[in-house]
Amino acid sequence: MVLDEVQRVHSDRDRAGRDARPAELLEAVDLGASYAACVPRALSGGQRQRLAIARALAAEPSVIVLDEAVSALDVSVQAQILNLLSDLRRELALTYIFISHDLAVIRQVSDRVLVLYRGQLMGQGPVGQVFQKAAHPYSQLLLDAVPHQGMSLTQRAERGFLAEDGCLFRGRCGRVHDRCAAQPPLFSVSPTAVAQGP
């Protein structure tokens, strides 16, 4: 069983503690003990995601990295998994690093946001501030791309070139300046938030 294997590697519990732990983990993610013996193909997408969360919890981490954790799930199952993650974060004092392209999910689950473009930091700050006052043009472009009623769905052509230094976004940016050819400095947008300059 996968949950037992994770414990053998990451836990110093005795045998009795390890034997009892899988049922506790499955209960924590709203699955019954009978799911311990299931193979992935016998589970729904939401059940597989719950089992993956239980597997991560088996190592008793303080930080969990969730990469597109709900992207393959339908909206109702997404909501269930996000609520479960919220409950677990509160109960177990967990920290999540949540990686996603879904801005609605990011807005719901995050306290702080880092915006990356091709691996380069474009901005960061408290979620409300980043969503309301995006400082970098790329951050603003992401927010403008969120579908809404009446928006035009025409595809924009890639403009310019792929920058190798400085701001990587400058080949596509409508607000490009000479200073963008150098690595853009971080500047403070509030006492607790930092963003990069355009």
Side-chain angles (χ1 to χ4, degrees), residues 1-4 19 22-23 26 31-40 43 51:
M1 169 194 303
V2 173
L3 297 178
D4 191 47
D19 287 347
L26 290 169
L31 292 175
S34 62
Y35 285 90
C38 289
V39 293
L43 302 173
L51 196 54

Side-chain angles (χ1 to χ4, degrees), residues 139-184:
S139 300
Q140 189 58 55
L141 184 69
L142 279 179
L143 294 170
D144 291 345
V146 174
H148 58 274
Q149 187 173 0
M151 82 178 287
S152 171
L153 296 178
T154 57
Q155 183 175 2
R156 296 184 213 181
E158 179 84 16
R159 291 183 11 199
F161 59 94
L162 176 59
E164 293 182 9
D165 54 4
C167 180
L168 293 180
F169 187 63
R170 75 179 192 275
R172 296 182 61 196
C173 184
R175 292 171 34 195
V176 68
H177 301 278
D178 291 342
R179 67 182 180 209
C180 299
Q183 179 66 28

